[in-house]
Amino acid sequence: MVNLTIDGLKVSVPEGTTIMEAAATVGIDIPRLCFLKDINEISACKVCIVEIQGQNRVVTSCTTPVQEGLVVFTNSPKARSIRRTNVEFILSQHDCLCATCVRSGNCSLQKLSNDLGIYDIPFERQVVDTPWNQDFPLIRDSKKCIKCMRCVQICDKVQALHIWDVQNTGSRTTVDVAGNMSIEDSDCSLCGQCITHCPVGALKERNDVPKIYEALADSSKITAVQVAPAVRTAWAEAFNMPEEMATEGRMAAALRRVGFDYVFDTNFAADVTIMEEANELLERLQNPDAHKWPMFTSCCPGWVSYVTKKFPNFLGNVSTTKSPQQIFGALLKSYFAEKKGLQPKEICSISIMPCVSKKREAGLLSMRSSGTHDVDIVLTTRELVRLLRAEHINPATLPEEEFDNPLGKSTGAAVIFGVTGGVMEAALRTAYFALTGSEAPLDAFLDVRGEAGRKVREFTIAGKTLRTCTVSGLGNAERLLEDLQAGKVHYDFVEVMACPGGCVGGGGQPIHDGEERAAMLGKKLYKLDDERLLRQSHNNPDVVTLYKEYLDKPLSERAEHLLHSDHLKEKNYLV
């Protein structure tokens, strides 16, 4: 242990601890902009500087280890003055139009500037504006970039995509797409992790809220909105609602107040996804020589985009079942449209997702099985919050309301789709029933849960051994695929989620700078699963009716047309 004094407080911490970490143990929060634990520890912003007694220069607390007997001042006149100057330099190269920034009120630079009392910038303003395709689902605003390098590091170290890189040198240093490529031609999977880890508004999703207003104002359109499972874990954070009030029922009520004609739950389509994907797995197990192994899940568009671009030799391993978003859109414009006597083009299909990649997925050529876009508009959870605020809706004052039917009822298996291991567990619940004719014990597949980047388990069902693997984050996916290519491992069924922790940690979720909240949000979904009367997708009565009235059975000709996509056809990945 090392003993030192920080702002007059005695501190004892293990050797190797940084001054920033040591200060945190006694409740002292040293300001920072670039720091991300174990990801970005390069002291790029020089905001976390502190003064050490007896030394002429200040040091960065995020990279300086403690030493015995140090006396540290985190906010001395000298440290505060230099910190203020460093922030002023950053602001001199930053577009400070906070009123028109999506991160206004949730921006680390804005808060730091206010805390330091910076109301004017004494340096010449030099803001660089780099052109960007405003139709691309991910938008980079170079005018707001503070060169903290977080996006570079999260993309390199966690997602292993290497989309971003440093450009130029000296005062002209900035960040841009690596290799002088356009973002459209890069390997970007649109996971959005760079957005949620940016401390300012330099990265954001394309704003599709104006399209919502156009659809609502069009009297010739029936508007139908679906909400993904992970959205319900975080949608009410901005309204400071206690957890017991932030219910699915109030979320549905708030969406009706916006003016949507129908409010549905994507969980219904997640149950349908399981019916198709579980039966696809069973069909492969019955004819093992006719298929490539392992079978990968396909509900995450960021993952499907990744394997398409980086490891196309594994495309034949990917389940052909569409994501719940796209299955819902296809059923909305076919099954539901027929029930209501509507044409597909009369329906505006809207989804609210925790994901940026869903925006791209909705535009793919292979996602038009209804004859038009099965999903017309995709909003992130953050855009939902902005929409509700723009409509002056206070969800806390609303009574709970049910989702619309017949596409609104769902099971616990669908709810857990939003967390890593959830799709695997849901599929195994239904596969067990198909193989044994009885329901699996509720704790039979709990071992697939957890925050591990790669989790391997074996299950024996009806005498068949099934070796499973759940993978969280694209960096872990890369290592898995490399091991599979090298023949080092063998699995039967693999779930991959592009975002660490699953959809609850998605690139479209609310941003809490420096916090990783996926594990906490995932627990909310497991709690909802526990509270459901129905826990298995095959027991959803509305899904049973869907197959009886319309689809006949899983993997039927109509199901294949509406609910599946051929990943091997490259044109299917064109927008």
Side-chain angles (χ1 to χ4, degrees):
M1 302 297 288
V2 177
N3 301 292
L4 67 158
T5 303
I6 303 179
D7 291 347
L9 299 176
K10 299 295 183 182
V11 183
S12 182
V13 292
E15 186 178 4
T17 303
T18 65
I19 292 176
M20 178 183 286
E21 292 169 329
T25 66
V26 290
I28 298 173
D29 186 23
I30 299 175
R32 81 290 299 269
L33 283 173
C34 69
F35 177 80
L36 285 176
K37 178 66 176 172
D38 297 327
I39 296 172
N40 198 40
E41 300 178 348
I42 59 175
S43 65
C45 66
K46 301 296 187 290
V47 168
C48 70
I49 54 95
V50 295
E51 183 179 3
I52 297 177
Q53 190 177 75
Q55 295 188 14
N56 290 327
R57 64 185 182 90
V58 293
V59 299
T60 51
S61 62
C62 70
T63 56
T64 304
V66 296
Q67 295 179 32
E68 185 68 30
L70 282 184
V71 177
V72 178
F73 303 99
T74 68
N75 204 35
S76 65
K78 181 177 183 178
R80 187 167 58 249
S81 174
I82 295 175
R83 180 178 296 129
R84 180 188 176 98
T85 299
N86 289 344
V87 173
E88 288 171 340
F89 274 126
I90 292 171
L91 290 170
S92 72
Q93 296 185 343
H94 180 76
D95 171 4
C96 297
L97 299 176
C98 298
T100 55
C101 179
V102 295
R103 292 292 296 274
S104 183
N106 184 26
C107 171
S108 296
L109 178 60
Q110 185 184 53
K111 181 181 184 302
L112 182 57
S113 301
N114 290 338
D115 290 349
L116 288 169
I118 299 176
Y119 306 117
D120 192 19
I121 303 171
F123 304 110
E124 180 185 352
R125 300 291 298 278
Q126 295 180 341
V127 180
V128 177
D129 188 4
T130 304
W132 192 268
N133 178 4
Q134 299 299 307
D135 292 326
F136 195 70
L138 184 152
I139 305 295
R140 181 176 184 273
D141 187 347
S142 61
K143 302 187 301 298
K144 295 187 181 296
C145 179
I146 61 171
K147 295 87 172 174
C148 68
M149 308 304 165
R150 280 191 185 183
C151 58
V152 177
Q153 300 276 36
I154 202 79
C155 196
D156 286 1
K157 292 182 179 179
V158 177
Q159 299 298 73
L161 278 166
H162 311 288
I163 302 303
W164 307 107
D165 203 357
V166 178
Q167 306 285 336
N168 302 322
T169 58
S171 63
R172 297 180 296 114
T173 299
T174 188
V175 175
D176 208 341
V177 182
N180 292 318
M181 298 183 71
S182 67
I183 190 67
E184 300 91 336
D185 294 331
S186 73
D187 289 333
C188 180
S189 70
L190 286 167
C191 68
Q193 292 301 302
C194 57
I195 298 176
T196 57
H197 289 82
C198 177
V200 293
L203 292 162
K204 59 186 177 182
E205 71 273 42
R206 183 185 65 217
N207 179 21
D208 288 327
V209 173
K211 297 177 184 178
I212 298 295
Y213 286 117
E214 290 178 15
L216 291 171
D218 188 344
S219 59
S220 67
K221 292 287 187 182
I222 299 295
T223 53
V225 62
Q226 56 165 307
V227 190
V231 173
R232 69 206 66 204
T233 66
W235 72 281
E237 290 177 356
F239 302 97
N240 297 316
M241 291 169 60
E243 186 175 341
E244 62 272 14
M245 291 191 67
T247 62
E248 297 165 297
R250 284 193 177 85
M251 181 175 66
L255 288 166
R256 286 202 181 90
R257 296 302 185 279
V258 172
F260 297 116
D261 296 307
Y262 294 96
V263 179
F264 293 117
D265 195 345
T266 308
N267 284 350
F268 172 85
D271 278 331
V272 178
T273 300
I274 287 302
M275 295 299 292
E276 295 296 319
E277 195 164 76
N279 278 279
E280 192 177 347
L281 175 62
L282 292 173
E283 193 277 330
R284 286 178 177 237
L285 290 171
Q286 291 163 3
N287 301 280
D289 295 336
H291 300 283
K292 297 178 66 177
W293 295 94
M295 186 180 103
F296 292 111
T297 57
S298 56
C299 60
C300 172
W303 150 246
V304 176
S305 173
Y306 174 83
V307 74
T308 301
K309 295 178 178 181
K310 301 283 283 186
F311 292 86
N313 53 307
F314 279 106
L315 279 175
N317 299 66
V318 179
S319 164
T320 62
T321 304
K322 293 179 181 177
S323 72
Q325 168 181 274
Q326 296 306 138
I327 283 181
F328 193 97
L331 291 173
L332 178 70
K333 292 194 175 184
S334 56
Y335 175 62
F336 179 79
E338 286 187 20
K339 278 185 169 292
K340 297 296 182 180
L342 298 168
Q343 295 297 316
K345 65 182 180 180
E346 295 179 88
I347 301 175
C348 180
S349 173
I350 301 152
S351 72
I352 300 174
M353 297 284 139
C355 177
V356 178
S357 194
K358 293 287 186 184
K359 289 177 180 279
R360 174 183 177 272
E361 180 188 41
L364 297 176
L365 292 174
S366 56
M367 302 302 172
R368 303 178 188 181
S369 35
S370 62
T372 180
H373 289 290
D374 295 328
V375 176
D376 299 296
I377 306 171
V378 180
L379 300 185
T380 63
T381 311
R382 293 190 295 270
E383 287 174 290
L384 168 62
V385 171
R386 296 201 292 271
L387 177 63
L388 295 181
R389 282 180 161 172
E391 291 298 295
H392 309 296
I393 295 171
N394 181 3
T397 65
L398 302 178
E400 295 183 89
E401 298 178 11
E402 297 291 328
F403 289 105
D404 286 305
N405 279 310
L407 307 179
K409 190 170 291 185
S410 62
T411 71
V415 171
I416 60 176
F417 254 63
V419 60
T420 287
V423 178
M424 175 69 70
E425 184 174 350
L428 290 175
R429 291 179 189 179
T430 290
Y432 185 98
F433 178 80
L435 288 170
T436 67
S438 59
E439 301 294 353
L442 292 178
D443 61 353
F445 306 115
L446 297 184
D447 273 357
V448 302
R449 299 181 180 184
E451 302 171 41
R454 187 197 302 188
K455 195 167 191 179
V456 178
R457 290 293 183 270
E458 278 190 8
F459 301 97
T460 301
I461 306 175
K464 295 180 181 291
T465 299
L466 192 68
R467 188 168 171 81
T468 69
C469 178
T470 54
V471 179
S472 173
L474 292 177
N476 291 315
E478 179 183 66
R479 288 183 281 276
L480 166 71
L481 294 173
E482 289 174 345
D483 286 349
L484 286 169
Q485 283 189 153
K488 295 180 179 179
V489 294
H490 168 75
Y491 309 114
D492 299 305
F493 188 30
V494 178
E495 176 206 299
V496 183
M497 291 289 188
C499 295
C503 305
V504 287
Q509 291 282 72
I511 298 171
H512 298 268
D513 192 15
E515 297 182 35
E516 301 295 340
R517 298 166 63 88
M520 181 269 288
L521 297 179
K523 291 177 182 177
K524 292 185 179 182
L525 293 185
Y526 285 126
K527 183 174 182 290
L528 289 173
D529 173 36
D530 290 339
E531 294 170 352
R532 287 288 202 272
L533 294 177
L534 299 175
R535 306 285 297 280
Q536 303 86 8
S537 297
H538 54 271
N539 288 329
N540 184 332
D542 286 357
V543 170
V544 173
T545 300
L546 168 69
Y547 280 99
K548 182 178 179 180
E549 292 183 349
Y550 196 68
L551 296 176
D552 183 31
K553 61 181 181 179
L555 308 183
S556 67
E557 184 176 346
R558 177 173 277 180
E560 288 283 354
H561 171 68
L562 289 173
L563 313 181
H564 292 258
S565 171
D566 189 349
H567 304 303
L568 295 177
K569 294 182 179 178
E570 185 179 350
K571 70 179 182 64
N572 286 341
Y573 293 90
L574 299 175
V575 176

